[in-house]
Amino acid sequence: MHLYLLTLQRPTCIVQAIHGSFSGTKQQEIVVGRGRILELLRLDPNTGKAHTQLSVDVFGEIRSLIPFRLTGGSKDYVVVGSDSGRIVILEYNAAKNMFERVHQETFGKSGCRRIVPGQYLAVDPKGRAVMIGAVEKQKLVYILNRDASARLTISSPLEAHKSHTLVYHLVGMDVGFENPMFACLEMDYEEADNDHTGEAAQIAQQTLTFYELDLGLNHVVRKYSEPLEDQANLLIAVPGGSDGPSGVLVCCENYLIYKNFGDQTDIRCPIPRRRNDLDNADTSMLVVCSATHKTKSMFFFLVQSEQGDIFKVTLETEDDLVTELRIKYFDTVPICSSINVLKTGFLFCSSEFGNHNFYQIAHLGDDDGEPEFSSAMQLEEGETFFFAPRPLKNLVMVDELESLSPIMTSKIADLANEDTPQVYALCGRGPRSSLRVLRHGLEVTEMAVSELPGNPNAVWTVKMNSSDEYDAYIIVSFTNATLVLSIGETVEEITNSGFLGTTPTLAAHQLGEDSLLQVYPQGIRHIKADKRVNEWKTPGKKVITRCAVNERQVVIALSGGELVYFEMDVAGQLNEYTERREMSAEVSCLSLATVPHGEQRSRFLGVGLADQTVRVISLDPTDCLQPLSMQALPASPESLCMVEMGQGAPEGTVGAAAEPVSIGGMFLNIGLQNGVLLRTAVDNITGDLSDTRTRYLGTRPVKLFKVMMMSSEAVLAVSSRSWLSYSYQSRFHLTPLSYDLLEYASCFSSEHCPEGIVAISANTLRILALEKLGVVFNQVSTPLRYTPRKFVLHPPTSKLVVIETDHNAFTEATKQQRKKMMAEEMIQTAGEDEQEAAAQMAQEFLAEDLPESIFGSPKAGTGMWASCIRLMHPTEGKTLQLIELEQNEAAFSLTVCQFAARGDMEWYVVVGTARDLILNPRSCSGGCLWVYRLAPDGSTMEFVHMTVVDNVPTALAPFQGRLLVGVGKLLRIYDIGKKKMLRKCENKHIPYLIVDIKTIGHRIYVSDVQESIHFLRYRPVENQLIVFADDTFQRWMTSCAILDFNTVAIADKFGSISVVRLPLDTSDEVDEDPTGTRTIWDRGYLSGAAQKAECIATIHVGDIINSLEKATLIPGGSEAIIYTTLSGTVGMLAPFSSREDIDFLQHLQMHMRAELPALCGRDHLAYRSYYYPIKNVIDGDMCEQYNTLEPAKRRSIAEELDRTPSEVAKKLEDLRTRCAF
């Protein structure tokens, strides 16, 4: 068995975000690390929308990122710390739209190890040196400089190691042009390590250590070290030199402390806390991330606390000494992993979990009436300042980047009856959780919808002048009339445009510099800028049936199959070509490409004929209207669209050079009447047709329309569903639109919508925008209350039952109770004359309702759990019933089943909960099985009874009309009784903890938390559960999926997916054994079961996998293993259908490894074999990077494989479209 790995949705979480001018222009970009993906985001300052400019798979774990700029330079480089054991410096090449590796220096072993650097990066603000640090012991400093030709150079590493030292954070200090300095938060554990009593560990202190790079002597010295009273987690460098006082802000528990050398005293200020907070009073407060903003005249810091509150921190200085540290509440946003302040006044918040946000900084918070706290204010030790959180005041949200991270679990099903299955994913953490329904398609933003006086059959937009940026008119054609609408502040009808309104229109276009063209059945109308009109009438009783128009050429087909060609001369006059051409059959459709830049005409005309052929005809003056090539079609053509795709935008436009030229060219798109779309490459010189790709789009004939996307041409294909064919990041995409049925469309450009589509649907005119190109899934999100853990489907009604559980949380009832107690305390502690004010404050406090999805939920402390069971309608997102469990009752497992004892009409929901669970060391006061009866229509659940068990029921599964329960490490069978569940059978041989149970027939597959999978058989006669086989490897299981009776796909928490299969001679008939050895196996001695499963395929995907499922994603597609991960990845492992494909892709993968080494220096083979050697899996993500190579490399690889480059690309596309999108 061989599998093909494909990532459908790349990770959406952001581990770290940095900003800088990476393209060398004044515009700032953001580089984000998403696990193994490095991405460049560009923000449009006019619209505030963020676009992904580049996304690269580095086939390694990105651990840290930092920007740096050489002194006097205008371009930022990216330093990457990864698991490759190498420091890598990348430069963004805007012309090629790619990251280029400038330097790669090896310093240690690969993998995320404690003493191998890569976890921390710090640069000198003047760009002279970079320090890369490990979690323990090792720190290396590299000196950066320029050579004679202004290229970046890097020195040999200088060591700054110290053994028995843990590092918490690292930062480069701003010391102007003095020797570079680095500040480091360290802890020496040597004494604690040698002290067996543990006392030294209790009193161990962190130290703030300064390292100086002596540029003269070329070595690093440990200049100064001082112990810290409070535990710290973060350092912030303060601007120095001519910009500020230098030094560092140390973010400790509950305090911010400013420290520097010399005469500077420590300035200490408490971190303000929320007034009347429901949190546990003993909880300390930490700063989780920070951003520095510096201008020529001032600087400030934004720091975010672990509740999500952002504070603005400023320093007051006198004679270069800091005298005061001021802190002021700024706003509250969800907790972030990084925050970045851009020079254009935007704040990018990459959320720890959930969607990422772009905010505009509307005010700097200087005069908003918010109290400003200062280190100069006298406070008792341990006391702090208080503030009242409020909705956003200084920030305005301008854009949101959707993130699925974390996907807790998912299911694939067509619950909406749309033919194409949807992915139902439980996402998020705490109050930001959601159920997301993912559909393959582009999200469509509806800009305007207006009704028309009848059903139109076509629509076009035209500009008044070729140099105009925006369209001037919308022309709508009806069966017997034409309507012209003027585009301004509003869209309104006009009658003086020069267009003929009493006839239907076949085409409308802007011609030459400043004239317009209307083609109607009886002729052609050429409207000059001064409204003079030239008309060409059809001869005799003939009418125009089809036409094709571009900026300088017009081709019409008369009834009977005659082609007439017009071309514009230098004077702006439309001239008919002397000859006409009779076609052998009636013309079904015509298409002309856009006139290439700097040329007179488009050389080729595409003609579709009723005899099921398509022909390319020359329009070159030397052989005008001569046929060049022909292609036979499987059905009659409905429409044609000839476009230049993948060539990138013209220079100077937004998104210029967004595509490497390697995949581009002229393409003829052919829409057939049977709902199939063909895309054929057209040779630029000979006009030959080659490399045809086929996709089935829908049940209706396919109509094609040319539109503009990201300043380059794309094709909108309309069938029973609308699709967009476009090139994005050096790959062609054909993606459906998640929108109503469209009938006709044209591109649309206005001030509010620079790249839109105007379309007609029934009797409405719609203006649409597609803003999220490259996105695989369109999401519909339904908010949930706590972190979702599992969900099941009620098969007869397709309703969902979800369990949600949060640790360190209060239930709604406990929150209200605590609020009342605090309100009563307020009134009691107030003096007699303050009673009235206190009562009013208490009333306001009780009425206050800040959304927890932004402000976070109160922290209750360890061992405190909140949980609920939700019954919901999946497609409408409506909650039908919500059952709140008591405080400290945590739901962990769930199933829906039928019991043989109650007949097959009644469905039951069984929920396994734990009481008073403490995670470390693990203990609980018991578990429960709650049984609910589902109403026949699935609208309500009725409580039946509750059964106490002696441990946490971590897994449930229906089995032969009864219930399998994993209680800790015990596997039990229960049946339903009148007052509680009745235990029928038990197996005690699972080693640690059962995390998942699956069943087929009489066979049971049990996943252990640490010891992989166990195969069991139930023997009804003896009433025994017998383990007859298990795995040979230890695997820390997270999920499994049954592929067939003997084969299981399993995923572990270290990011590996394996497929294990029982050998053919395995028997689950464990009969009587006269030798007595079976009793030894039954006791679990000699390492488990007598029979062992074989691992037949394995690969490392680089992320914690939370769900596995065997499913099909497209109608008629082949089955594949679909997986989802904690960081929001959706991927698949698809089986191969032929040995030939396996050999071809194995060789391609081998060539790709040699030609395209991973960007961060990690070896691809080693990365995919992180914990187990890769076996029988081909990495499709690596193979698909073939399209990003330079043409010469692509040709040489294709020749080695005895193919052409287009055949290789076609094979890769076919493999993807066979089972995915």
Side-chain angles (χ1 to χ4, degrees), residues 509-521:
H509 207 279
Q510 195 266 325
L511 208 63
E513 285 292 314
D514 54 5
S515 56
L516 303 176
L517 181 91
Q518 178 186 15
V519 182
Y520 57 99

Side-chain angles (χ1 to χ4, degrees), residues 853-1048:
S853 59
I854 295 169
F855 292 88
S857 55
K859 308 282 184 288
T862 52
M864 299 287 279
W865 297 81
S867 208
C868 68
I869 306 164
R870 186 186 298 265
L871 177 66
M872 63 189 299
H873 195 294
T875 49
E876 293 175 13
K878 274 197 310 205
T879 298
L880 305 171
Q881 189 178 359
L882 186 72
I883 299 167
E884 278 272 5
L885 299 181
E886 290 176 11
Q887 183 75 49
N888 292 4
E889 185 93 37
F892 283 107
S893 54
L894 167 75
T895 192
V896 59
C897 60
Q898 292 175 302
F899 290 103
R902 297 288 173 94
D904 59 359
M905 294 304 290
E906 290 191 345
W907 285 85
Y908 292 87
V909 173
V910 185
V911 180
T913 65
R915 280 197 176 144
D916 306 319
L917 176 67
I918 292 168
L919 292 171
N920 192 17
R922 201 175 178 91
S923 67
C924 74
S925 62
C928 299
L929 294 174
W930 300 75
V931 181
Y932 297 88
R933 186 187 293 112
L934 268 163
D937 61 352
S939 59
T940 56
M941 294 188 297
E942 177 195 349
F943 176 67
V944 179
H945 53 61
M946 183 263 288
T947 309
V948 176
V949 291
D950 44 9
N951 207 328
V952 185
T954 47
L956 305 171
F959 179 67
Q960 298 181 352
R962 296 197 281 186
L963 183 69
L964 276 169
V965 183
V967 182
K969 64 178 186 176
L970 306 172
L971 181 67
R972 293 175 177 169
I973 295 181
Y974 280 88
D975 205 346
I976 196 165
K978 288 190 175 176
K979 294 195 175 172
K980 65 176 190 175
M981 301 292 286
L982 309 171
R983 182 164 55 173
K984 298 293 186 186
C985 175
E986 180 175 271
N987 179 298
K988 298 180 179 176
H989 297 142
I990 309 297
Y992 295 104
L993 178 71
I994 295 168
V995 291
D996 191 20
I997 303 170
K998 297 273 194 294
T999 64
I1000 290 186
H1002 55 254
R1003 196 172 276 188
I1004 303 162
Y1005 309 80
V1006 176
S1007 304
D1008 181 77
V1009 72
Q1010 193 175 331
E1011 287 289 349
S1012 192
I1013 194 149
H1014 295 70
F1015 299 82
L1016 288 88
R1017 161 116 192 226
Y1018 176 60
R1019 303 183 61 187
V1021 180
E1022 294 93 342
N1023 191 29
Q1024 276 186 323
L1025 286 164
I1026 294 169
V1027 180
F1028 69 88
D1030 59 17
D1031 194 6
T1032 51
F1033 288 100
Q1034 269 200 336
R1035 298 182 205 274
W1036 298 70
M1037 297 278 291
T1038 54
S1039 57
C1040 78
I1042 298 171
L1043 305 183
D1044 62 38
F1045 200 54
N1046 289 327
T1047 316
V1048 188

Side-chain angles (χ1 to χ4, degrees), residues 714-785:
V715 178
L716 183 71
V718 172
S719 178
S720 53
R721 196 174 180 189
S722 303
W723 297 68
L724 186 71
S725 170
Y726 61 105
S727 78
Y728 180 75
Q729 292 188 355
S730 69
R731 207 188 115 205
F732 285 118
H733 294 256
L734 180 61
T735 313
L737 304 186
S738 298
Y739 196 66
D740 305 345
L741 180 68
L742 302 177
E743 285 156 28
Y744 204 97
S746 176
C747 51
F748 175 82
S749 178
S750 74
E751 201 174 338
H752 303 296
C753 179
E755 282 190 338
I757 294 171
V758 59
I760 50 178
S761 177
N763 67 334
T764 57
L765 184 71
R766 302 170 186 232
I767 295 171
L768 316 171
L770 308 173
E771 291 165 347
K772 296 183 179 175
L773 295 183
V775 173
V776 182
F777 292 110
N778 169 33
Q779 305 177 15
V780 178
S781 182
T782 306
L784 303 174
R785 183 174 291 176

Side-chain angles (χ1 to χ4, degrees), residues 661-673:
V661 181
S662 58
I663 64 158
M666 175 86 77
F667 293 95
L668 180 62
N669 294 271
I670 308 161
L672 303 183
Q673 290 186 350

Side-chain angles (χ1 to χ4, degrees), residues 1141-1196:
D1141 286 353
I1142 297 168
D1143 292 342
F1144 168 70
L1145 285 159
Q1146 270 178 336
H1147 284 95
L1148 176 61
Q1149 182 177 249
M1150 184 180 73
H1151 286 297
M1152 289 302 300
R1153 281 177 182 154
E1155 292 289 350
L1156 197 72
L1159 201 60
C1160 69
R1162 188 85 163 101
D1163 181 66
H1164 176 262
L1165 185 63
Y1167 175 71
R1168 289 301 191 190
S1169 310
Y1170 225 112
Y1171 296 97
Y1172 308 100
I1174 183 172
K1175 183 179 181 183
N1176 293 349
V1177 183
I1178 291 167
D1179 184 359
D1181 294 345
M1182 186 67 170
C1183 294
E1184 286 192 345
Q1185 296 215 353
Y1186 175 80
N1187 290 327
T1188 66
L1189 294 174
E1190 293 165 2
K1193 280 187 180 176
R1194 286 167 58 224
R1195 268 197 304 277
S1196 71

